Amino acid sequence: MTDSSTALGRERAAVAEACRRLGAEGLLIGTAGNVSVRVGERVAITATGAVLAELTADQVTVVDLDGKIVGGTLEPTSELELHLGVYRRHGTGAVVHTHAPMATALSLVLDELPCIHYQLLALGGTVRVAPYATFGTPELAESVLAALEGRSAALMANHGALTHAPTLDKAVEHALLLEWACGVYQHAAALGPPRVLDEQQQLAVIEAAIARNYGTTHSVPPEQEGTR
């Protein structure tokens, strides 16, 4: 099938671009990891065996929600069922799975990444670690889907990390945020037990973010322009 017939030409290019960015940031190594985006009943997803930091649009396959190939010439990633499971259960728009070094390191030793910084609230707070299962298996998919309940991110024991979001850009941002938080935790834990934000502190952050429309730019009111 052609890109025009699947209406996912731009999405295939966007997935390839996202992979190249994640590779440049050090979150994707070689062929390890996979990225996808959903448009309606179609999913554009990375092909198995592709070098992700150098990915091109023709190395992105299009499937339907049953996993049937409807666009592209390459077999999709072995984690296809994991991606489709996230779409089915969590109704999201994009999925990013990496073997990022800090996230993978913490998946070896933690049962969860606690909420050590208020920015983790963008992922739902505490990040759970899904129990280990062999890659590409239904057991792994179910383990990760459960860990994602109420969250936008999960660590995968002895494996890596997964994030999802309504858009591909946001799913990539979540992956970068998770890796940053894992690095902060690792550095802090080397010095002593990291302090964790309790429920009251987390709620206060949420209330402040809503009140201040945190995370968006704001124009200076006209009456203040002359005071800058």
Side-chain angles (χ1 to χ4, degrees):
M1 289 214 177
T2 64
D3 284 347
S4 60
S5 66
T6 60
L8 285 175
R10 286 183 299 179
E11 286 73 19
R12 293 174 75 184
V15 167
E17 182 179 355
C19 288
R20 294 193 298 270
R21 180 186 177 193
L22 290 164
E25 296 282 359
L27 273 67
L28 294 176
I29 307 298
T31 64
N34 26 80
V35 175
S36 69
V37 63
R38 176 180 177 177
V39 179
E41 301 300 303
R42 299 287 186 264
V43 174
I45 189 165
T46 50
T48 188
V51 177
L52 298 169
E54 303 171 359
L55 203 74
T56 57
D58 61 354
Q59 294 173 306
V60 178
T61 302
V62 181
V63 300
D64 63 20
L65 293 180
D66 293 323
K68 178 183 177 182
I69 298 175
V70 296
T73 60
L74 300 175
E75 288 290 329
T77 172
S78 59
E79 300 291 8
L80 173 62
E81 284 304 315
L82 173 58
H83 285 249
L84 295 180
V86 177
Y87 292 123
R88 296 182 192 120
R89 185 175 301 188
H90 298 290
T92 197
V95 176
V96 170
H97 166 46
T98 74
H99 296 182
M102 286 296 181
T104 303
L106 293 194
S107 82
L108 304 177
V109 297
L110 295 182
D111 293 323
E112 64 178 25
L113 172 65
C115 190
I116 54 168
H117 193 283
Y118 66 83
Q119 281 190 282
L120 276 172
L121 292 171
L123 305 178
T126 298
V127 178
R128 305 182 187 104
V129 179
Y132 179 79
T134 304
F135 76 92
T137 61
E139 291 78 13
L140 176 63
E142 185 55 39
S143 173
V144 176
L145 292 175
L148 285 172
E149 199 64 45
R151 300 290 189 271
S152 297
L155 296 178
M156 303 160 65
N158 301 76
H159 188 152
L162 185 142
T163 61
H164 69 88
T167 67
L168 181 56
D169 284 345
K170 183 60 69 175
V172 169
E173 289 178 18
H174 283 349
L176 294 169
L177 171 58
L178 178 59
E179 181 69 355
W180 170 82
C182 288
V184 170
Y185 183 92
Q186 190 271 341
H187 290 305
L191 301 174
R195 286 191 294 270
V196 177
L197 298 180
D198 61 30
E199 289 187 12
Q200 184 175 355
Q201 291 169 325
Q202 293 179 41
L203 180 60
V205 170
I206 293 171
E207 292 173 344
I210 293 172
R212 301 178 186 183
N213 201 17
Y214 182 80
T216 61
T217 57
H218 305 277
S219 299
V220 176
E223 62 272 18
Q224 295 183 14
E225 288 187 356
T227 64
R228 289 182 292 172

